Amino acid sequence: MPVSLGLNFRSIVIRVAEFLGTADYSGGAAAVPTDAHDLDLAKRIVNDGYRRFLGESDWHFLNPIHSLTLIADQATYDLPEGAYQVNMGPWTYPSEAGLPRINVCDEVVIRELEATGTSSGDPTLAAIRPKSVHATDFGTRWEVVFWPTPQSVYVIQTRLSIWPDQMTDLDYHRPIGGPQHDDAIVACAMAAADLTRNDRLGQLEAAAQMALKRSRDMDHRSVPRRLSPSSRFVRYTGVDTYEGVSIQDTE
């Protein structure tokens, strides 16, 4: 049966444990540490490297398309857990709606409009704001408020910035982004292990910097392009557009 070249959490933990000298070789091949403390340390180091990797660039794979169902008479909606801002362009209606896009604005604009009186219709503006945090919440959550208040049910879309959860399950969890970025994640984890064990930034840090550059270059090449008025392709900055008009809106 073919085996993917992509690495799961266990594979990266084993590499770190080998470097730390805590891997288990009792079965012949390297395995995760049998000591609970050694295993916990290796896991934490891998997630430290993973967190560093995720923060090293505005990765395209962290900006997925998000769909939201507008409900009549409801202006405010929770964004999914892990979302921290709208990053790439406006919200768009389905093509059959025949409606213009919903532009993102500062929240104060919507509050000023609301202060003039209640209004309902097909939203033309949206603002992202932090949601009130309660004792049971984990970290800051975000919500989106639309103006005017929706009068109909529509499924709209945008791109969100998503911050992934840490890896905890050795066999089930894999780094987000795909196997093409595994080398950079491993390199970041090994640099973190070197810093933990030797309290230094040495050759493994230099290797991490090189691996991160390769990953950034790959990510840049994978970014979709949109047509500019001069028919040249430029970096994706929102929904597909031509001369400022959403192709999605005109399909």
Side-chain angles (χ1 to χ4, degrees), residues 173-224:
H173 286 159
R174 293 175 180 269
I176 190 171
Q180 63 268 35
H181 297 293
D182 282 351
D183 285 348
I185 295 168
V186 170
C188 287
M190 296 300 288
D194 191 25
L195 182 61
T196 298
R197 189 179 74 172
N198 300 313
D199 193 24
R200 69 181 183 187
L201 294 175
Q203 291 183 340
L204 290 177
E205 172 60 24
Q209 293 286 353
M210 293 177 62
L212 284 166
K213 183 181 183 305
R214 289 193 298 270
S215 273
R216 283 192 290 264
D217 290 343
M218 283 189 292
D219 188 64
H220 181 75
R221 291 194 298 269
S222 73
V223 174

Side-chain angles (χ1 to χ4, degrees), residues 32-241:
V32 299
T34 55
D35 181 85
H37 297 291
D38 290 338
L39 178 57
D40 178 67
L41 176 60
K43 287 181 175 180
R44 284 191 284 114
I45 287 174
V46 171
N47 275 306
D48 285 346
Y50 186 36
R51 183 169 55 252
R52 174 191 173 179
F53 167 79
L54 293 172
E56 284 284 339
S57 182
D58 184 18
W59 302 108
H60 180 247
F61 53 80
L62 294 183
N63 300 132
I65 290 290
H66 174 65
S67 296
L68 175 68
T69 301
L70 294 181
I71 302 172
D73 302 322
Q74 180 177 329
T76 304
Y77 301 81
D78 288 344
L79 292 177
E81 186 174 352
Y84 58 94
Q85 68 181 52
V86 168
N87 189 54
M88 301 180 71
W91 297 76
T92 54
Y93 287 99
S95 57
E96 63 269 17
L99 294 170
R101 65 190 186 181
I102 304 172
N103 289 314
V104 178
C105 67
D106 194 286
E107 187 218 358
V108 69
V109 174
I110 289 182
R111 284 195 281 113
E112 288 174 346
L113 290 168
E114 290 173 338
T116 64
T118 58
S119 177
S120 64
D122 297 317
T124 57
L125 294 175
I128 308 301
R129 62 190 182 190
K131 184 180 178 182
S132 298
V133 178
H134 301 285
T136 56
D137 290 338
F138 180 75
T140 301
R141 294 292 302 273
W142 297 81
E143 61 186 10
V144 55
V145 56
F146 294 96
W147 188 92
T149 300
Q151 64 180 357
S152 303
V153 176
Y154 289 114
V155 178
I156 59 175
Q157 292 185 326
T158 192
R159 283 185 178 267
L160 292 181
S161 292
I162 299 294
W163 191 257
D165 294 330
Q166 67 175 328
M167 294 183 286
T168 57
D169 188 293
L170 287 169
D171 296 308
Y172 179 73
H173 286 159
R174 293 175 180 269
I176 190 171
Q180 63 268 35
H181 297 293
D182 282 351
D183 285 348
I185 295 168
V186 170
C188 287
M190 296 300 288
D194 191 25
L195 182 61
T196 298
R197 189 179 74 172
N198 300 313
D199 193 24
R200 69 181 183 187
L201 294 175
Q203 291 183 340
L204 290 177
E205 172 60 24
Q209 293 286 353
M210 293 177 62
L212 284 166
K213 183 181 183 305
R214 289 193 298 270
S215 273
R216 283 192 290 264
D217 290 343
M218 283 189 292
D219 188 64
H220 181 75
R221 291 194 298 269
S222 73
V223 174
R225 274 32 178 190
R226 62 177 174 84
L227 287 172
S228 70
S230 59
S231 297
R232 292 176 297 180
F233 286 97
V234 297
R235 197 175 193 275
Y236 185 86
T237 56
V239 295
D240 293 328
T241 61

